[in-house]
Amino acid sequence: MKRIILLLTACLAALPATVRGAKPQTDYLAEARRMAEAEETARRTIAPLPDAPTATWGEACLALYEATGDSLYLHRAHALADALVDEQGRIPAYDKELYDLADLRFGAFLYRLYQAGGGDGRYLNALEIIRSQLYTQPRRADRLFLPLASEADTVRIEPLYHALPFYCMYAAMFDQSRVFDDIVLQCEVVDECTLDPHSGLNLPAHPAPAHVLLTRPSALAMAGLADVLDFMPWDHPFRRRAAGMWQRMAAGLSQCLPRKQAAWGVMPDRPAGADNPLSLTGTSAAVYAVAKGVRLGYLGKKEGKMAVQAFAALTQQWEEGKKEADSAAWYVLAAVELHRMQQEE
């Protein structure tokens, strides 16, 4: 009898999930590929700029290349970079004297492309040019970078977290250990200035005209912090504090999520609806950051389930034809990260 039970159990396990009555796992790479093809078609008439949206799309292509091994996505990333970086490694369309911190995300993309593509001296030169912006980036009295030269005393979480992963990548690549302390200062001052203690999330700016939480900047901050930890030295004391910030942000998103709602509206602490539509970019960036946290062991299964449900809501919105400026890139990044999380289970 025991043998028969074991045999039946083995046969049942071998059946497809749909036959067993269980819900089949989502093919996240297939979802990412579908979105990538739709977005690539849409982008063919758009001239790329060395800005955050272009960089995020380039990083999405690289993430797909790393997950699938399909060189098509690496070629697309190279084509994007080569449209902006000339033969001498200069970036004609980039003006560092604008001192826009969000532009440093293009540096993060070039760094990842340099690593994935076997190295290209032109990209190294371009990285030097982008890094040079931070040597003269205007700062506040407390040494915090200003997001733009024209914003004399403003703290914004979104552009700073576009910039800090590149700053950390560059420091790790060229062994500039003293820079890590500056990165820690940037993270901690921004967090302290913008933290909303009631939700555990961060306000988009300080000072702010109104005390309103927004999903997109909160999620991008969490994603940026996740990417900073990729390059922060393992023995640096900030790593534990940063992990705590990451966990607090994920808990804040979970607590803000209205009952019976799978994803976040533009304002995360209010029910989604006509006056608070679903934040496609914010939800995608949140899924990316949460799934990455689960995969690396910083977050648990509860948060992983939240990310899976939020992604399903995003997929439904996409199928209904809804889209934001850079939501496709973040959707691809989220899908690839969910695939990696799924592989670790």
Side-chain angles (χ1 to χ4, degrees):
M1 177 63 73
K2 191 173 181 180
R3 277 187 187 176
I4 295 172
I5 292 172
L6 288 173
L7 182 61
L8 288 173
T9 302
C11 291
L12 183 61
L15 290 173
T18 49
V19 175
R20 297 198 307 269
K23 188 176 180 180
Q25 286 190 319
T26 301
D27 187 341
Y28 291 113
L29 289 186
E31 291 296 327
R33 283 178 179 271
R34 286 172 62 201
M35 178 62 83
E37 293 314 304
E39 180 65 7
E40 191 67 23
T41 300
R43 295 182 67 89
R44 284 174 188 165
T45 58
I46 301 174
L49 293 171
D51 57 10
T54 297
T56 306
W57 178 241
E59 288 186 318
C61 292
L62 287 175
L64 260 175
Y65 165 66
E66 291 166 0
T68 66
D70 189 339
S71 60
L72 168 68
Y73 301 111
L74 180 61
H75 293 325
R76 286 179 177 174
H78 273 297
L80 200 60
D82 293 344
L84 294 163
V85 180
D86 68 18
E87 291 300 318
Q88 287 73 44
R90 297 170 301 196
I91 314 170
Y94 166 66
D95 184 357
K96 71 176 184 178
E97 293 184 2
L98 291 176
Y99 292 115
D100 187 347
L101 283 180
D103 287 345
L104 271 71
R105 190 163 180 90
F106 189 69
F109 161 57
L110 287 180
Y111 173 91
R112 295 185 191 278
L113 181 58
Y114 177 80
Q115 298 285 17
D120 187 320
R122 294 181 305 123
Y123 299 156
L124 277 181
N125 191 57
L127 289 173
E128 292 276 0
I129 292 170
I130 296 171
R131 171 64 177 89
S132 69
Q133 176 180 322
L134 290 178
Y135 290 124
T136 52
Q137 184 80 23
R139 297 184 185 235
R140 301 191 332 160
D142 58 7
R143 301 292 296 158
L144 183 73
F145 289 130
L146 293 176
L148 289 168
S150 59
E151 296 188 343
D153 197 38
T154 305
V155 180
R156 295 187 185 278
I157 59 173
E158 187 172 334
L160 271 166
Y161 280 95
H162 277 315
L164 292 181
F166 168 70
Y167 197 20
C168 202
M169 289 173 188
Y170 195 95
M173 185 176 187
F174 293 101
D175 195 24
Q176 297 180 346
S177 56
R178 288 179 297 178
V179 168
F180 292 117
D181 290 337
D182 192 29
I183 293 166
V184 171
L185 180 146
Q186 305 298 318
C187 289
E188 294 191 332
V189 172
V190 170
D191 192 57
E192 180 181 348
C193 289
T194 61
L195 177 62
D196 172 41
H198 299 292
S199 67
L201 298 175
N202 295 80
L203 294 164
H206 174 81
H211 192 90
V212 177
L213 290 169
L214 296 176
T215 298
R216 177 192 166 105
S218 295
L220 289 178
M222 190 163 69
L225 187 63
D227 290 346
V228 162
L229 286 183
D230 281 342
F231 299 92
M232 185 67 63
W234 281 104
D235 58 350
H236 199 289
F238 176 67
R239 177 173 283 277
R240 179 172 292 182
R241 299 199 299 276
M245 292 163 60
W246 193 358
Q247 292 161 359
R248 186 204 73 219
M249 292 173 178
L253 284 172
S254 177
Q255 291 167 10
C256 279
L257 199 61
R259 191 176 179 184
K260 295 184 179 180
Q261 187 174 305
W264 297 272
V266 170
M267 293 172 283
D269 54 342
R270 304 182 189 181
D275 58 345
N276 187 34
L278 193 69
S279 175
L280 303 181
T281 299
T283 296
S284 296
V287 170
Y288 166 84
V290 170
K292 188 170 185 176
V294 174
R295 176 172 64 85
L296 297 177
Y298 293 103
L299 303 176
K301 291 184 177 180
K302 178 182 175 182
E303 289 82 7
K305 183 178 179 181
M306 177 176 71
V308 167
Q309 291 173 342
F311 188 82
L314 284 170
T315 302
Q316 183 177 346
Q317 293 287 308
W318 174 46
E319 289 172 350
E320 292 173 3
K322 297 176 183 176
K323 189 178 174 184
E324 293 172 4
D326 53 355
S327 59
W330 279 108
Y331 182 93
V332 171
L333 287 168
V336 171
E337 200 54 57
L338 281 170
H339 166 75
R340 291 169 175 160
M341 183 187 82
Q342 192 180 70
Q343 297 301 107
E344 293 290 324
E345 291 177 348

